[in-house]
Amino acid sequence: MLGDPRTVRITGDDTAAIYRRTDDADAEQRPEDYRDKPVAEAYVWCGLTSGNGARALWLLLLPFMVANLAHWMRPSSRGRRRTIRVYGVLVRLLGLTLTVLLVAAACEVALDLTAWQCAGTPSCADDRAWLGFLSPEVSGGGWWSQPGRRLALAALVPAALTGLLWYLSHRTWSAYESAQPYPQQQEQEEDTHRSALSRPGFWYGRPFVARLRAAHTAAGLLTVAAAVATSAARHDRAAGGLALLDGAGRVLEGVLIAGGLIVVYVLCRRGRKDTTVDAHLDRMVVTVLPLASLAVLALCLLYAGWDRPDWVSSGRLPGDQTFGGITLVQGLLVLALAVAATVLYRSDPLSGTALRGLGGPCVAMLACALGGVMSGGVAQRVGDWLDGSATPGDTDAPLPGPPVLLSWQAAMIPLLLVVVLLLVLLFGVRTLRRRRLEQARVEREYPGERPHESRTRKIARVRATAALTDSAPVLIGCVAAITLLLGAGALTGAWMTGEVPGVAAAGAPGFIGGAAQTAQALGSWLIGFGFILFVTWGRRAYRDASARRTIGILWDVGTFWPRAAHPFAPPCYAERAVPDLTWRMATWTQKTEGRLIISGHSQGSVLAAAAAWQLSPAVRKGVGLLTYGSPLQRLYGRWFPAHFGPAALTALHREVDCWRNLHRPTDPIGGPIGLEGECGPAVDHPPLKDPLAYGRTQTHPLPAPILGHSEYQADPAFDEEREELLQRLRPAVTRGLGAVPSQPGPDSEGSQGSSGRSSG
């Protein structure tokens, strides 16, 4: 980044730090040597977003991250504070259903398929020696062979999963959310046009995430307790056994209902508080709620393990009601979220907002779909493995298999893929048409050059492909709508027939019955294969630079935002990076009475803007911004209008000393900011030529590459704009700090410079 192999760390640690060239390490002690040139610094934050291969497991938390994105995608609004609160509550409740869904899937695999069905079926248990001590026939009626004790033992698996999620969230919470913001920000005045990212407590989510984590941990433990206790209570009521056991079961069911209501109340009672730095940690909720839920789980395990000699496992546990209820609640929450988003959008209809304000509900629907595919995929594959070559739902299958709803959902996957394929074909045709239009533009932009058909076609293809980013809202909206309809169809089919699709259509005409069986089998394999592919792709992302770059684009956006809807989402790196940059800029300007330019590329430009918002107004007036390949308007402005809308970016333009933005038509991520000088010179530089030369020239004797999103410093306009910004700041500079960036190495991605640059 600094263009010199000799660097020294100025401040920071191994996770994120500020670096300088070794020759510039003592620049403050030699002000006369830097009176006419800047001191370059680079902020490297790759340790916050990448690491060893174990971090690929974070991809398993993708549904939680996507649900968290839905919280920040709410439309901009005016005077709709109550609707904004309702929107936040709905997203938090939807995040809670995802936790319950994940734990319920673990219960389905461990309790229902393994401990209840397979261990209770001699033909299944005989083939698996590790289940022998749980089988009544294999173990000869051993102590663990009673169904209640089998369920109690298997319940340790989903309980351990809940504990693991708590541990990961607590560990990252201590490392990320605990970063202290710069105290000077508490003196800022409230501005209705300024982004919420400028508020003092925006990047300090420690207390709120702790409350969320306690509620979700309690919900997970109560889900496990309910899976064990309700099965035993159902047997006690049906068998007419001891009144004491029947009464204990009813009491525990009441306690579980009360615990669920308490969790919902804690979740809805209070949202994020970012107008001030919220340092109050509610120990009663954070500590007592998970421990009380753990105690309830222990009581339920003791209750289920009580001696019941006449209890025999048969059929399925009530998983259909569980997964059906979760699916129904999620659908209703998404619809309610769409209503709230529509009300907010109509109060302040900003042009360019993705899906007319429905981006949040659509993304929330995709989060539910991802959670369903991951949970259903695991259950389907484990069910197929346990019952051998039989098809779940067949009359001759040794096991009843997973809940019927999961089979119906699997049968809908091929239909969804057909719709996605049609959309891809549609976008492919549009891209071909756009490429033809771009070919004429390319020839006009390089006058005097001898046309070369293959060169022109290549440049036009890159431009047309880069424009596909702007079609993402249509794709996401269509997929979300189709997913909602297919989910409703799967739920209706499961409740009306009570059988898997292939069996339910057995009496239909041959074509329909065969299509249903094929869709069920194909969908079952697809979601299982998709889950495995998902994990392996995530692992590959930490070994292959190209795969890491592709995934990193979406990952950096998803983990930029604080955890406001789900505490088990991957940690927010900006809660460490933004305070780091703010502290560095504020302390440097106070110490030297100098001014600076903060330069950011791609996601680094978003961090640069966020850090500038956190500065006090006096310090912000001495800051210049140089952004390039920036998604501030093209991505963040469209999908997150409440925080990066035109009013917020205009206020930032007005409050910083100067701001220039570079972009290319071949860049699929970056784009223009769109501020036309309402409060100073226009932000956007005219689109840069890419490639720099069409054919071979004296300056470019070899064919110039098409750079797209990378290497903006290779364009002469970069040096010109940087020098112009430095000249603008120089009259007030006593000791300068500016930007002399270079392309970062492969280990520097995700780096942001308060005087350097970032590659997201």
Side-chain angles (χ1 to χ4, degrees):
M1 289 179 68
L2 295 173
D4 193 323
R6 300 170 301 141
T7 60
V8 60
R9 185 166 66 190
I10 299 298
T11 182
D13 54 24
D14 294 335
T15 303
I18 297 284
Y19 292 85
R20 282 185 185 178
R21 299 185 181 96
T22 302
D23 294 341
D24 297 334
D26 59 345
E28 285 82 0
Q29 283 69 46
R30 298 181 288 114
E32 63 282 354
D33 294 341
Y34 296 90
R35 192 170 301 278
D36 296 324
K37 65 178 181 178
V39 178
E41 289 186 352
Y43 177 55
V44 180
W45 47 278
C46 55
L48 296 173
T49 56
S50 61
N52 56 35
R55 288 201 179 187
L57 295 176
W58 280 3
L59 281 174
L60 299 177
L61 309 179
L62 183 61
F64 305 152
M65 183 186 78
V66 175
N68 193 64
L69 279 178
H71 172 88
W72 301 106
M73 286 181 174
R74 69 167 178 83
S76 178
S77 62
R78 296 178 181 176
R80 292 281 185 175
R81 295 184 180 274
R82 181 173 298 179
T83 309
I84 291 174
R85 287 195 295 269
V86 170
Y87 184 95
V89 169
L90 291 173
V91 178
R92 292 199 296 274
L93 288 176
L94 190 138
L96 183 65
T97 65
L98 290 174
T99 297
V100 174
L101 176 63
L102 176 66
V103 178
C107 292
E108 173 61 29
V109 171
L111 276 70
D112 188 9
L113 294 175
T114 305
W116 181 266
Q117 296 184 30
C118 187
T121 304
S123 61
C124 182
D126 286 342
D127 297 335
R128 293 163 180 83
W130 53 277
L131 278 179
F133 74 102
L134 296 178
S135 174
E137 286 76 9
V138 176
S139 65
W143 194 86
W144 286 107
S145 63
Q146 290 191 14
R149 293 168 183 169
R150 299 202 306 262
L151 294 178
L153 181 62
L156 298 179
V157 174
L161 174 63
T162 305
L164 176 63
L165 292 175
W166 176 90
Y167 169 75
L168 292 176
S169 178
H170 182 273
R171 180 182 177 185
T172 55
W173 168 72
S174 301
Y176 292 81
E177 278 93 353
S178 59
Q180 290 288 338
Y182 190 69
Q184 183 179 354
Q185 294 150 78
Q186 300 185 36
E187 304 172 4
Q188 296 185 34
E189 298 180 359
E190 185 68 20
D191 185 348
T192 56
H193 297 290
R194 188 178 298 158
S195 172
L197 276 70
S198 64
R199 295 173 183 169
F202 188 89
W203 300 109
Y204 187 74
R206 183 180 173 92
F208 178 72
V209 174
R211 291 193 296 271
L212 274 184
R213 184 177 63 250
H216 282 251
T217 302
L221 295 175
L222 292 176
T223 301
V224 181
V228 176
T230 54
S231 301
R234 184 178 57 171
H235 168 267
D236 291 337
R237 283 195 296 269
L242 294 176
L244 179 61
L245 286 179
D246 188 17
R250 295 179 185 276
V251 170
L252 285 176
E253 287 179 335
V255 171
L256 290 172
I257 294 174
L261 293 176
I262 291 173
V263 169
V264 172
Y265 171 75
V266 169
L267 207 68
C268 299
R269 180 176 65 94
R270 187 176 178 185
R272 278 178 53 89
K273 182 181 179 182
D274 50 21
T275 53
T276 59
V277 178
D278 184 9
H280 175 66
L281 197 62
D282 194 343
R283 297 290 180 183
M284 180 63 69
V285 173
V286 172
T287 304
V288 174
L289 187 58
L291 291 179
S293 302
L294 187 61
V296 172
L297 174 60
L299 291 175
C300 291
L301 296 182
L302 290 175
Y303 166 69
W306 198 268
D307 187 34
R308 297 178 179 86
D310 59 334
W311 192 5
V312 179
S313 60
S314 62
R316 299 186 184 94
L317 292 179
D320 284 308
Q321 295 87 337
T322 301
F323 287 98
I326 294 173
T327 302
L328 178 61
V329 170
Q330 287 181 340
L332 294 176
L333 287 174
V334 169
L335 292 176
L337 197 64
V339 173
T342 301
V343 172
L344 292 175
Y345 176 76
R346 289 182 176 179
S347 68
D348 188 15
L350 295 178
S351 60
T353 301
L355 297 172
R356 298 179 64 86
L358 293 178
C362 289
V363 168
M365 185 69 247
L366 295 183
C368 297
L370 284 172
V373 168
M374 294 174 66
S375 59
V378 173
Q380 290 280 349
R381 295 279 60 79
V382 172
D384 287 343
W385 171 59
L386 291 176
D387 67 7
S389 59
T391 301
D394 284 352
T395 55
D396 58 346
L399 302 181
V404 172
L405 177 62
L406 297 184
S407 297
W408 276 90
Q409 289 176 339
M412 298 297 173
I413 296 295
L415 297 177
L416 179 61
L417 292 180
V418 169
V419 174
V420 173
L421 180 60
L422 293 176
L423 289 173
V424 170
L425 292 176
L426 175 62
F427 288 135
V429 172
R430 292 179 58 183
T431 302
L432 290 176
R433 292 178 178 176
R434 186 180 182 90
R435 191 189 70 178
R436 297 190 186 99
L437 296 176
E438 290 291 347
Q439 287 182 220
R441 295 175 184 172
V442 169
E443 294 176 356
R444 289 197 300 268
E445 291 180 9
Y446 295 94
E449 297 280 356
R450 182 179 178 182
H452 193 282
E453 184 178 356
S454 62
R455 178 69 164 171
T456 302
R457 189 165 53 246
K458 182 178 180 180
I459 299 172
R461 183 178 68 252
V462 174
R463 291 187 179 186
T465 305
L468 284 175
T469 303
D470 301 322
S471 301
V474 177
L475 178 63
I476 291 178
C478 291
V479 172
I482 296 299
T483 301
L484 181 62
L485 293 177
L486 293 179
L491 186 62
T492 303
W495 280 358
M496 290 182 63
T497 65
E499 296 178 330
V500 297
V503 176
F511 174 77
I512 298 178
Q517 291 179 350
T518 302
Q520 174 194 342
L522 181 60
S524 175
W525 280 106
L526 281 175
I527 59 177
F529 175 75
F531 178 77
I532 296 173
L533 182 64
F534 186 73
V535 176
T536 55
W537 192 29
R539 177 70 181 178
R540 178 172 172 263
Y542 286 91
R543 296 182 176 181
D544 188 328
S546 61
R548 181 168 61 248
R549 190 178 302 112
T550 302
I551 297 176
I553 295 170
L554 298 176
W555 197 254
D556 283 348
V557 175
T559 55
F560 169 78
W561 295 99
R563 292 184 274 198
H566 208 296
F568 299 152
C572 166
Y573 63 86
E575 289 194 295
R576 164 70 190 272
V578 173
D580 279 0
L581 286 171
T582 308
W583 274 87
R584 179 55 180 165
M585 289 190 290
T587 54
W588 188 88
T589 53
Q590 289 178 358
K591 179 180 179 181
T592 65
E593 297 182 359
R595 303 168 76 181
L596 57 87
I597 291 174
I598 178 169
S599 166
H601 170 247
S602 190
Q603 187 66 15
S605 66
V606 183
L607 282 181
W613 264 316
Q614 284 283 296
L615 295 169
S616 65
V619 176
R620 197 182 298 120
K621 276 298 183 183
V623 172
L625 277 177
L626 178 59
T627 57
Y628 38 103
S630 173
L632 274 171
Q633 195 283 327
R634 190 177 189 182
L635 176 61
Y636 283 82
R638 299 181 69 187
W639 289 98
F640 308 98
H643 307 285
F644 287 94
L649 294 179
T650 299
L652 179 63
H653 184 202
R654 183 186 303 114
E655 293 168 359
V656 297
D657 184 86
C658 46
W659 183 6
R660 290 292 279 170
N661 178 66
L662 308 179
H663 61 98
R664 297 186 181 117
T666 56
D667 191 339
I669 299 173
I673 302 298
L675 302 181
E676 301 296 337
E678 299 94 334
C679 40
V683 169
D684 293 316
H685 185 280
L688 304 180
K689 281 188 176 182
D690 188 27
L692 290 174
Y694 181 87
R696 299 174 185 264
T697 64
Q698 291 290 336
T699 308
H700 299 277
L702 298 180
I706 303 175
L707 300 176
H709 186 60
S710 61
E711 298 187 37
Y712 272 82
Q713 302 91 333
D715 196 299
F718 182 89
D719 292 331
E720 295 172 2
E721 291 296 332
R722 183 188 59 194
E723 184 60 29
E724 185 176 337
L725 290 177
L726 291 174
Q727 291 293 343
R728 180 184 176 97
L729 293 179
R730 187 161 287 138
V733 172
T734 55
R735 302 173 182 87
L737 184 64
V740 188
S742 64
Q743 179 66 26
D747 296 329
S748 300
E749 59 227 320
S751 305
Q752 165 64 35
S754 58
S755 57
R757 69 177 288 270
S758 161
S759 171

